[in-house]
Amino acid sequence: INGGKDTITVPSPYKLEEVVFQGVSSFFNSTCKDDSGVIPLAFVATKDDSIYVSFRGTANFTDAISDIAAIQVQYNFVPTTGQVSGGFQGAYTGTDTFPIESAILSKVDELAMTGSFKNLYITGHSLGAALAFLAFPDFSQNVSNIDNVVMYNFAGPAAGDSAWVTTYEGEYA
């Protein structure tokens, strides 16, 4: 992520559809080497009949704040009975300038509406795994024309309380 905007590539035959950027201060974040104030947080790629959403893990000071801001808040994206980490939800939501959830959801929905895609895979590592946990019920409920939504995560922290996990497992798993 040291190169800012041009750092995401995917191997053939995958096609990179969208890179979603997080706004950060280059003063506090050594990963913002090109001084553009943005670094990639996620990308959307396609291959055959599948869409892939991948979130990166903790990489800078801004991410570390998201990791430790564990105060529980109501999950905003689909009705549930539980709460999630405010730091993770804030990172997943993004900002007015860099809206993470809406940018990814918009691109995935646009791709799904073509009717060419049957599967949606969501993945992440560390902070990215927490963001994938939040994305899974959101995409499961808010993306149409997809037959299967599957999540694979690596080294994910606890993203929500036990009530959210129960809802998440019962409704969306």
Side-chain angles (χ1 to χ4, degrees), residues 16-35:
L16 182 63
E17 300 286 350
E18 184 89 16
V19 179
V20 179
F21 297 96
Q22 171 190 43
V24 296
S25 165
S26 58
F27 180 77
F28 288 111
N29 296 286
S30 63
T31 53
C32 192
K33 299 288 189 197
D34 66 357
D35 204 30

Side-chain angles (χ1 to χ4, degrees), residues 7-91:
T7 60
I8 301 291
T9 59
V10 295
S12 181
Y14 293 89
K15 179 182 176 196
L16 182 63
E17 300 286 350
E18 184 89 16
V19 179
V20 179
F21 297 96
Q22 171 190 43
V24 296
S25 165
S26 58
F27 180 77
F28 288 111
N29 296 286
S30 63
T31 53
C32 192
K33 299 288 189 197
D34 66 357
D35 204 30
S36 65
V38 299
I39 57 174
L41 179 63
F43 68 87
V44 179
T46 56
K47 178 184 166 215
D48 301 328
D49 66 351
S50 299
I51 301 169
Y52 300 86
V53 176
S54 181
F55 295 94
R56 67 156 172 80
T58 302
N60 56 53
F61 182 76
T62 301
D63 295 341
I65 297 300
S66 295
D67 289 343
I68 63 173
I71 295 172
Q72 299 287 294
V73 297
Q74 188 63 42
Y75 180 68
N76 288 339
F77 302 101
V78 295
T80 68
T81 58
Q83 296 186 328
V84 297
S85 163
F88 296 149
Q89 183 158 271

Side-chain angles (χ1 to χ4, degrees), residues 114-138:
T114 68
S116 303
F117 301 101
K118 295 181 179 163
N119 306 300
L120 171 60
Y121 295 96
I122 307 164
T123 191
H125 170 263
S126 182
L127 169 63
L131 302 181
F133 280 128
L134 299 182
F136 183 77
D138 183 12

